[in-house]
Amino acid sequence: LQVATTQQLVDELHNHLKAQYEDITYHPNADSYVGMTLTRSHDGSVFDISQTGLIDKVIDKFLTSEDRRQYKTPANDDIFEVDADDTTAPTVDRTEYLSLLMSLMYIGRLTRPDILLPVTYLATRSVRPTVDDMAKGKRIVSYLRRTRELTLRLHCEGPLQLHISCDASYAVHADGKGHTGYTIHIGDTQSFVHARSGKQKLNSTSSTDAEILALCEATKTTLHLRNILEELS
């Protein structure tokens, strides 16, 4: 997908690609991109983005006929809790666990930011995944099955101003580290731009300290996006 301020830049990229790969196919209104389905409104002002095809594949691969329970949320409030004696808890096949995790991470990062928190937490458990970790991962898949038709809608009106919502949880991980989460939107309609959820790299000394770490990371990302907007005038 290409964004440019002049037709000259569009032509420059196309000519370079043709010189490199000899033959390329150009679609002025692509309806798919890296596994995402793109649906435009008639006037081109609204985009709906989804990954129902990949979600269906994940459901078929990781849920069985016995997994019939429906979930309204991707995780329970005990998402950060682990067994008291975690070193002796029964484990699951690490390759299968990582396969599930990477599929969910791809979906979460592109079109379903609502699952990012539990997915990024479960990623910290990938060295020795337990039966409980796998159950939490399958709960996310069950939630996606219930909400597979949800789409990420992009629709921006008003000034192209960025809006950031940022939060942090203090010392929720087993090693005492906190967790950062933030979302970035644009315009009066608060159209989605970016979301991030992840374990903090430093041990904070207080909840205020954890909030500052989260705010610092969100600010750096926002400045990067602001630079892109300025580059595109």
Side-chain angles (χ1 to χ4, degrees):
L1 293 183
Q2 179 184 10
V3 177
T5 52
T6 67
Q7 184 61 41
Q8 178 183 349
L9 293 174
V10 175
D11 297 337
E12 182 179 315
L13 177 61
H14 290 179
N15 292 334
H16 179 75
L17 290 173
K18 288 178 180 178
Q20 184 72 25
Y21 300 105
E22 295 185 1
D23 185 31
I24 65 170
T25 302
Y26 174 69
H27 299 281
N29 292 303
D31 57 6
S32 64
Y33 180 69
V34 294
M36 296 183 293
T37 299
L38 314 177
T39 305
R40 294 172 171 81
S41 62
H42 292 299
D43 60 359
S45 65
V46 180
F47 282 76
D48 284 325
I49 307 177
S50 63
Q51 288 174 284
T52 53
L54 179 55
I55 290 175
D56 288 339
K57 289 181 180 179
V58 174
I59 293 171
D60 291 339
K61 183 175 181 180
F62 293 100
L63 294 185
T64 67
S65 58
E66 298 177 356
D67 298 312
R68 299 172 183 172
R69 188 168 179 180
Q70 300 288 324
Y71 293 99
K72 295 182 179 180
T73 59
N76 209 343
D77 55 8
D78 65 349
I79 180 65
F80 292 106
E81 294 181 8
V82 296
D83 296 331
D85 191 3
D86 188 49
T87 57
T88 60
T91 61
V92 296
D93 182 76
R94 186 168 181 264
T95 300
E96 181 182 8
Y97 182 79
L98 289 174
S99 176
L100 169 62
L101 211 58
M102 292 303 98
S103 297
L104 292 176
M105 186 71 76
Y106 190 70
I107 295 170
R109 291 186 63 183
L110 290 184
T111 61
R112 294 297 298 269
D114 50 330
I115 68 171
L116 276 179
L117 171 61
V119 171
T120 53
Y121 166 71
L122 292 176
T124 69
R125 306 280 301 163
S126 58
V127 174
R128 188 181 179 275
T130 65
V131 172
D132 183 60
D133 296 327
M134 194 67 173
K136 290 176 178 178
K138 286 189 174 183
R139 176 193 171 118
I140 301 173
V141 181
S142 295
Y143 167 74
L144 289 175
R145 179 174 59 185
R146 178 188 176 96
T147 59
R148 65 181 296 278
E149 299 300 331
L150 281 182
T151 61
L152 190 65
R153 173 158 291 187
L154 308 182
H155 175 52
C156 181
E157 290 184 354
L160 298 181
Q161 183 174 3
L162 294 170
H163 303 266
I164 308 97
S165 299
C166 179
D167 200 5
S169 294
Y170 168 62
V172 291
H173 290 274
D175 58 1
K177 288 186 170 66
H179 200 92
T180 290
Y182 60 86
T183 61
I184 301 176
H185 299 79
I186 191 170
D188 293 340
T189 50
Q190 297 284 294
S191 183
F192 178 83
V193 174
H194 179 69
R196 171 82 163 69
S197 178
K199 182 179 179 180
Q200 294 184 344
K201 295 178 174 59
L202 301 175
N203 283 89
S204 54
T205 57
S206 67
S207 57
T208 301
D209 194 11
E211 300 278 4
I212 292 173
L213 290 174
L215 183 61
C216 179
E217 186 171 345
T219 301
K220 288 188 288 186
T221 303
T222 305
L223 291 175
H224 168 67
L225 292 173
R226 187 182 69 179
N227 290 340
I228 293 177
L229 289 175
E230 290 177 348
E231 173 70 19
L232 297 173
S233 302

